[in-house]
């Protein structure tokens, strides 16, 4: 059993093998969101604030904060975003950047124990990010690619993950503070994407004994009805041992899938979290002769309860 | 690899390890449906006909036909229902009764190779049902309980399934014509229900090498938002090797889950079945700041395409 503890000033979230899945909200990320990018670059953080509140209300246990805007002062914008999000919510954050100076700026202002997103298996990246992670006593997302790129062979990716975990140990960072991202590819392009990832997830859990995360929506890139594909992926990956994901908590179908899989795994005793969240929903069984989809489409509501992961 | 072939006069469905999951429509069953029961007892089969057509239009590959009405002439009603359903659809049927004379009556009029639902591990039941299955060259659902009841221990249930498979062989019925039902209990009452079933499914697949089915909706009995629980169960069970289920194809969320899991397992090459079914659905990503559930709730449509399992 491995527990990874992430915290804000007042709240702790534990990513762990025998615990409810940890949902990390993905929305605060200007990539592909032109309006948000322009606003953040111009110093307007109102949408960041609204996104933070909405994701936590929808059930996110943590939030990912990314400020990757071309030609902008990313370290300053990321630090500002981290401070703002911490002022309006109490969930722990994942500080997300490909620029080491931005990670450093975010960590410098962060209150609590952050999740640093991310380090790869590239030596230069390892030697610049891991000292920061150690300095701030943070945890880190380890992405299983290196100088040679992303291998389609999950066993090659396993070796990269193992290298990162060992290198982290050299820097005094325990394996319990390394959360491996097995790298999820679009299944529309690589039909074996889920089969590869579930194989890798089992090895990561059983052999390397680390917690895991991923950018879940990658799986459905380019397909119609994306959230149905992402939901099926998350349940499959949870069955193979995945313990957290960066995902969109505003998509009810995704949250339902994760909470349903928690029930399946025995991580929701007496189904109390499920019942609390969905008891307002009318019975699923439609009337005799219900039209296709009738039972599923009607009356779904999200309560916006904030739930504590412990 | 094990293939179980079921057929109507003109159509064949294969339940198999490396194939798309087989959806068996559950609706033609008067249990808990008072109006349907009264109509069937009175000789009015219009609702049976409508249910048959609707389920096939919604994607069912096979239909279960049950005529269990207290004090009614079940053999005659089941035979009539089987004939009627075969006259309006071409999908193969599962002939479902706890009364051996009703199974015999249904089999006598059935055109093709039916799935007999079901035999248990009880000796009396084995010796009355298996000769019928052999006589008509049918396949059979084997429910993993016996005289001692339903064990909560999946390994005890495995032994019951093994006994049925061996007894079937004594009657000249190959293991490929035995589809084991691991028995799904309500997870609201037995929190380990899915953990138990997935353990059993893995053993059934790897050691006994049989195909499997279940009454999927049992898992969500008594819980709110039932179809979300049933969907999560089906994806989990498919990941553990389940190859068919008796389910409600009129619930879009259930069909989406099954088809999504087929994509995950690599059983939908190039996602073509998913794309054909869902391409009319708008992109899942809601606009920035979408309300919870907005992306999931809008614009889902089922095409009602009839798809062939091969």
């Amino acid at each position: 059993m491995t527990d990874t503890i992430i915290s804000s000033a007042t709240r702790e979230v534990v990513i762990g093998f025998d615990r409810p899945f940890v949902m990390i909200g993905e929305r605060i990320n200007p990539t592909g969101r032109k309006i948000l990018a322009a606003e953040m670059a111009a110093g307007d953080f109102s949408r960041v604030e609204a996104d933070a509140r909405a994701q936590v209300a929808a059930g996110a246990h943590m939030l990912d904060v990314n400020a990757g805007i071309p030609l902008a002062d990313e370290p300053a914008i990321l630090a500002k975003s981290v401070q703002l999000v911490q002022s309006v919510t109490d969930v722990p954050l994942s500080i997300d950047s490909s620029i080491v100076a931005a990670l450093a700026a975010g960590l410098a202002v962060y209150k609590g124990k952050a999740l640093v997103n991310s380090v790869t298996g590239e030596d230069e990246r390892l030697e610049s990010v891991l000292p920061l992670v150690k300095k701030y006593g943070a945890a880190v997302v380890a992405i299983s690619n290196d100088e040679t790129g992303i291998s389609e062979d999950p066993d090659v990716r396993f070796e990269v993950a193992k290298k990162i975990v060992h290198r982290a140990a050299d820097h005094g960072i325990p394996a319990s503070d390394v959360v491996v991202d097995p790298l999820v590819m679009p299944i529309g392009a690589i039909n074996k994407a889920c089969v590869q990832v579930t194989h890798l997830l089992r090895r990561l859990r059983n052999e390397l004994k680390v917690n895991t995360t991923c950018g879940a929506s990658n799986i459905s890139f380019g397909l119609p009805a994306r959230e149905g594909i992402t939901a099926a992926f998350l349940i499959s990956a949870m069955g193979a041992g995945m313990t957290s994901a960066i995902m969109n908590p505003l998509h009810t179908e995704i949250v339902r899938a994760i909470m349903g899989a928690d029930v399946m795994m025995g991580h929701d005793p007496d189904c109390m979290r499920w019942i609390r969240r969905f008891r307002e929903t009318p019975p699923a069984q439609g009337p005799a002769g219900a039209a296709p989809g009738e039972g599923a489409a009607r009356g779904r509501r999200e309560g916006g309860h904030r739930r504590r992961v412990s």
Side-chain angles (χ1 to χ4, degrees), chain A residues 120-288:
Chain A
T120 66
E122 295 160 290
D123 283 310
E124 193 194 328
R125 185 95 186 156
L126 284 164
E127 293 311 320
S128 54
V129 173
L130 293 178
L132 265 182
V133 172
K134 177 63 184 171
K135 176 179 174 188
Y136 288 100
V140 64
V141 173
I143 300 192
S144 50
N145 70 309
D146 63 10
E147 287 85 353
T148 63
I150 301 172
S151 174
E152 268 208 48
D153 181 345
D155 295 323
V156 171
R157 286 194 240 163
F158 178 82
E159 293 304 323
V160 175
K162 193 168 163 184
K163 170 185 167 183
I164 301 175
V165 168
H166 288 168
R167 192 69 67 89
D170 293 343
H171 285 265
I173 301 162
S176 60
D177 278 336
V178 181
V179 179
V180 174
D181 180 340
L183 274 169
V184 174
M185 314 298 262
I187 202 159
I190 299 176
N191 277 216
K192 291 282 174 198
C194 182
V195 173
Q196 289 168 1
V197 164
T198 51
H199 172 83
L200 179 49
L201 284 166
R202 286 193 191 93
R203 290 199 66 192
L204 291 168
R205 170 119 167 202
N206 297 331
E207 298 175 46
L208 213 50
K209 300 188 198 312
V210 289
N211 280 304
T212 41
T213 198
C214 73
S217 59
N218 279 5
I219 194 81
S220 58
F221 180 79
L223 289 175
R226 285 190 65 170
E227 74 275 23
I229 291 289
T230 304
F233 168 71
L234 280 161
I235 296 171
S236 304
M238 288 170 71
M242 193 167 69
T243 49
S244 72
I246 300 168
M247 39 65 77
N248 189 341
L250 305 183
H251 283 159
T252 309
E253 189 169 356
I254 305 293
V255 173
R256 264 168 96 95
I258 289 170
M259 293 184 68
D262 273 339
V263 170
M264 292 310 127
M265 300 179 79
H267 294 166
D268 184 359
D270 296 327
C271 310
M272 286 313 294
R273 295 164 74 237
W274 180 270
I275 292 168
R276 264 202 311 276
R277 177 82 176 228
F278 295 111
R279 64 184 154 199
E280 294 141 78
T281 309
Q285 294 298 330

Side-chain angles (χ1 to χ4, degrees), chain A residues 41-78:
Chain A
D44 172 4
F45 291 87
S46 54
R47 199 177 300 267
V48 171
E49 185 178 330
D51 281 346
R53 291 187 196 275
Q55 291 183 96
V56 173
H61 308 110
M62 293 178 55
L63 298 177
D64 187 78
V65 179
N66 179 302
I69 305 163
L71 307 177
D73 182 358
E74 188 173 330
I77 299 174
L78 185 58

